[in-house]
Amino acid sequence: MTFVKTYKIGTRGSPLALAQAEETRTRLLAAHEGALEPEQLEIRVIKTTGDRIQDRALSEVGGKGLFVKEIEEALISGEIDFAVHSMKDMETELSPELIIDCILPREDARDAFISASGKSLADLPSGSLVGTASLRRQAQILNRRPDLKVDILRGSVETRLRKLAEGKADATLLALAGLKRLGKEDVITELMHVDDMLPAVAQGAIGIERRLEDEEIAALLAPINDSVSYARISCERAMLAVLDGSCRTPIAGYAELVDGNMLDFRASVLATDGSLRFDASGQADISEAIALGERLGKELKVQAEDANLTFVL
């Protein structure tokens, strides 16, 4: 009897997380066609603390790392071989035992605005309630429309859409990437231009985390890494790292490839209530992605500190 190696893929259990794990699985099978069979890639669902807590903002209970803690523990222990993550959920500092050196081709990073009335953000009546658990989205909404109200709306994509239909908010925002991966683009009222709603760092990107010393998994994943997406995400996360950013500080950043090998990067940091906003932008060769992110992070940090804007860590 021939032994067939099986690789265990760790993921959260939400429909979006499972869709991302399945995309990873499909890309691996295509990249290793003839050498890898479908039954060799097993998707293993791991329940995280972030999935269990649905009634409070992540900033109140420990941050976005709550979506990955148990998955990373399973990776370190050997229970799984690699893990699939939404990169916007990842802290900038990983365990020294782990690495993310594989980023799939990035999906559209824009935010989608969804309102029960079908009105755009600009046309939403004064006093309307926009529900979102993202401090970044809350701060940008209040910066643009201080006459609106914001409150926490948490849960999976399906849960938030249901809460909107039940009248628990007048509108919400969701990542376009997630809606596309779930085939739910029909719910969108308005696609937000990045000039009007700067995305979260690494929004729309799927990252694969592995054990640092596991060269077999490194070789398995290497063919599905998208180098341009990897540079874009590296740039954005470098900025976030300089700011010591977390889900408790409204920070946004978006890097895109322009003019061949040039990265164009814009980033913002805001006061939680939207009353202050600081912006920075710049360009660099794609090979200087991390240096560009760090430079803009330092610019933003100086601006924020000069205005006595405190970073909540």
Side-chain angles (χ1 to χ4, degrees), residues 135-279:
L135 291 186
R136 171 191 62 87
R137 288 173 176 147
Q138 289 183 11
Q140 290 191 74
I141 289 168
L142 292 174
N143 180 260
R144 183 177 171 185
R145 290 284 311 271
D147 58 315
L148 297 179
K149 299 175 183 176
V150 296
D151 201 1
I152 297 168
L153 191 71
R154 282 208 55 213
S156 66
V157 169
E158 294 82 357
T159 298
R160 281 179 277 179
L161 290 174
R162 174 177 54 78
K163 289 179 178 179
L164 183 63
E166 292 171 350
K168 294 183 179 177
D170 297 303
T172 190
L173 290 108
L174 294 169
L176 172 60
L179 292 172
K180 290 180 74 170
R181 288 176 177 129
L182 291 171
K184 293 183 177 294
E185 295 168 84
D186 59 314
V187 304
I188 298 171
T189 302
E190 176 188 18
L191 271 179
M192 305 300 296
H193 193 278
V194 292
D195 290 338
D196 298 318
M197 181 66 63
L198 199 60
V201 164
Q203 185 158 297
I206 297 172
I208 319 298
E209 189 175 29
R210 65 175 177 87
R211 290 181 291 275
L212 180 63
E213 303 299 330
D214 197 330
E215 294 302 324
E216 179 185 0
I217 298 300
L220 181 75
L221 297 175
I224 64 170
N225 176 57
D226 183 78
S227 60
V228 172
S229 296
Y230 183 85
R232 294 171 67 191
I233 300 311
S234 297
C235 178
E236 295 172 17
R237 283 172 58 81
M239 177 273 296
L240 193 64
V242 169
L243 294 175
D244 295 320
S246 72
C247 67
R248 287 159 283 188
T249 302
I251 298 171
Y254 182 64
E256 59 183 333
L257 193 66
V258 296
D259 299 328
N261 285 323
M262 293 296 291
L263 271 186
D264 181 87
F265 183 38
R266 66 187 85 176
S268 300
V269 60
L270 299 94
T272 306
D273 63 1
S275 60
L276 295 173
R277 174 171 179 157
F278 304 100
D279 300 292

Side-chain angles (χ1 to χ4, degrees), residues 14 65 95 155 240 303:
S14 71
S95 164
L240 193 64
Q303 290 184 61

Side-chain angles (χ1 to χ4, degrees), residues 16-37:
L16 178 55
L18 290 172
Q20 293 179 163
E22 191 57 50
E23 179 180 341
T24 303
R25 184 173 180 270
T26 298
R27 289 183 181 277
L28 281 170
L29 289 171
H32 298 278
E33 187 176 5
L36 195 63
E37 298 299 325

Side-chain angles (χ1 to χ4, degrees), residues 83-108:
V84 179
H85 300 291
S86 292
M87 282 304 295
K88 68 183 180 65
D89 289 339
M90 301 304 293
E91 302 283 5
T92 54
E93 188 171 339
L94 302 178
S95 164
E97 300 169 79
L98 304 176
I99 187 173
I100 298 175
D101 55 0
C102 177
I103 302 290
L104 302 191
R106 189 180 197 175
E107 183 54 90
D108 195 319

